[in-house]
Amino acid sequence: MTQAGVVPPDGTVLGEDGVRRCPWAGGPGPMRDYHDTEWGLAVTGTGRARETAYFERLTLEAFQSGLSWATILAKRDAFREVFAGFDADVVAGYGETERAALLADARIVRNRAKVDATVRNAAAVVALRAEGPDALAALLESHAPAEQPEPRVPAEVPTTSPGSVALSRALKRRGFTFVGPTTMHALMEATGLVDTHLLGCHRRGVRVAGDR
């Protein structure tokens, strides 16, 4: 019998609640809650609400670059506040006054390049609407793979994919920045476009075919 906290051959961790999860979410706390309730789920809704949800995730993944996701998750409410709920129209209008305030706000990650990228990306989101309704969502989702990876252990989890490379290029052509292949792969994992839950994880396959 596998003991709680021990990593079995399939790579998952059995929690004290008797549920197997990916190792990064093995213990109780915010990371487990995120793993069990949000990570890997499709972004639903329509119109601006869906655009906002994707813009938030794109922004947070960019800020996570070089840091731990736990750090970003702990600051998420502050990010939502300072970036106007990730309303692209508002953020695209941020000038030097707003940027200076962001860089002085210890509640978020104070990185000028990432702050500037967020403002630039907001403008790119607004411009992308010219391609049609739900254009950001359509662009991101068009790069989901036909076949999902099937990792049994963490070492088998990819950090990039052909889809993330292509998505990175497509976004850069449209004026986005801080959207490298690794960051875009993380975005695709977070929004269920790529399923990298370990095969033995209870959340594997939560974004079933037909969700989007």
Side-chain angles (χ1 to χ4, degrees):
M1 180 175 179
T2 304
Q3 297 178 343
V6 175
V7 179
D10 70 355
T12 59
V13 170
L14 182 66
E16 80 294 337
D17 56 358
V19 176
R20 288 188 176 183
R21 297 178 174 86
C22 300
W24 61 267
M31 289 291 281
R32 176 190 285 187
D33 294 342
Y34 175 65
H35 172 273
D36 283 3
T37 64
E38 181 178 357
W39 193 74
L41 286 179
V43 173
T44 58
T46 59
R48 295 295 170 83
R50 190 154 160 245
E51 176 191 272
T52 296
Y54 268 125
F55 178 47
E56 174 180 352
R57 287 159 174 79
L58 187 152
T59 301
L60 295 180
E61 293 294 348
F63 270 96
Q64 186 272 334
S65 180
L67 302 171
S68 72
W69 180 249
T71 296
I72 301 303
L73 197 59
K75 296 175 178 289
R76 190 175 192 178
D77 287 343
F79 275 113
R80 285 174 169 168
E81 178 186 331
V82 300
F83 285 120
F86 292 98
D87 184 321
D89 290 294
V90 175
V91 178
Y94 280 8
E96 284 305 315
T97 299
E98 291 83 2
R99 296 182 198 212
L102 290 169
L103 293 173
D105 195 331
R107 297 176 302 155
I108 65 167
V109 175
R110 293 178 289 180
N111 180 296
R112 179 175 293 278
K114 293 177 181 180
V115 167
D116 289 347
T118 302
V119 177
R120 178 175 174 179
N121 289 347
V125 169
V126 173
L128 192 59
R129 294 172 191 160
E131 295 188 18
D134 286 338
L136 178 61
L139 177 61
L140 298 178
E141 293 173 6
S142 70
H143 289 81
E147 296 184 6
Q148 296 290 344
E150 297 183 342
R152 290 185 57 82
V153 295
E156 296 176 356
V157 176
T159 57
T160 62
S161 65
S164 76
V165 172
L167 175 58
S168 174
R169 291 172 178 167
L171 288 169
K172 288 177 181 178
R173 286 197 300 270
R174 291 166 172 82
F176 288 81
T177 188
F178 260 91
V179 289
T182 300
T183 300
M184 289 305 93
H185 185 74
L187 171 69
M188 294 170 77
E189 290 175 305
T191 57
L193 300 178
V194 174
D195 187 354
T196 56
H197 283 287
L198 299 185
L199 291 180
C201 176
H202 81 113
R203 296 293 285 174
R204 175 74 187 184
V206 292
R207 190 186 202 271
V208 298
D211 278 345
R212 182 62 57 195

